[in-house]
């Protein structure tokens, strides 16, 4: 996602716990990556947009993470988050068609 924004002229920055994924983003797309948990991020910058995809549900203190994201936004900034939901419309739709839901996006 960050590479798409970078291609369109946005200044991008990512936080990635997985060393392989962080290295890939740096080397393939030239994206600045903080390689650690967001809980260890010492942020002083403010951003127009912050995004988190499929990660919030893995934290034991999700409200702490949301506060970090909120405090990272400029006034009027936008936070976009996606997290799993096994009761989503997508899951019901796939199940009604007889599909397997074990590895689809449940956002």
């Amino acid at each position: 996602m960050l590479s798409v924004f970078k291609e369109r002229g946005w200044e991008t920055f990512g936080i990635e716990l997985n060393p392989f994924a962080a290295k890939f983003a740096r080397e393939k797309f030239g994206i600045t990556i903080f390689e650690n948990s967001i809980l260890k991020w010492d942020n002083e910058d403010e951003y127009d947009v912050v995004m988190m995809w499929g990660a919030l549900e893995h934290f034991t203190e999700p409200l702490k993470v949301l506060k970090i994201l909120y405090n990272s936004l400029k006034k009027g900034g936008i936070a976009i988050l996606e997290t799993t939901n096994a009761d989503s419309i997508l899951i019901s739709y796939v199940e009604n068609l007889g599909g397997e839901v074990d590895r689809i996006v449940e956002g």
Side-chain angles (χ1 to χ4, degrees):
M1 184 66 77
L2 290 176
S3 66
V4 172
F5 292 135
K6 186 173 181 181
E7 287 173 5
R8 286 163 175 76
W10 290 41
E11 185 178 344
T12 58
F13 172 80
I15 300 173
E16 177 56 60
L17 189 59
N18 181 303
F20 175 82
K23 181 179 178 184
F24 181 82
R26 281 193 294 270
E27 291 178 359
K28 176 140 177 109
F29 302 109
I31 296 171
T32 302
I33 300 287
F34 174 72
E35 190 177 320
N36 210 322
S37 169
I38 191 171
L39 296 171
K40 295 183 180 180
W41 182 39
D42 186 22
N43 178 50
E44 295 183 11
D45 295 326
E46 292 183 322
Y47 300 91
D48 295 308
V49 178
V50 296
M51 298 183 303
M52 181 175 274
W53 301 105
L56 188 63
E57 68 274 13
H58 297 283
F59 287 93
T60 57
E61 298 179 274
L63 291 177
K64 189 173 184 179
V65 174
L66 290 173
K67 185 176 180 181
I68 291 168
L69 293 176
Y70 177 80
N71 290 334
S72 300
L73 284 171
K74 291 180 181 178
K75 185 176 179 165
I78 298 170
I80 303 168
L81 291 92
E82 179 271 338
T83 189
T84 59
N85 177 359
D87 294 324
S88 71
I89 292 171
L90 176 59
I91 294 298
S92 296
Y93 177 75
V94 172
E95 286 176 335
N96 287 335
L97 292 176
E100 296 292 327
V101 295
D102 60 335
R103 290 298 296 155
I104 67 167
V105 175
E106 299 176 355

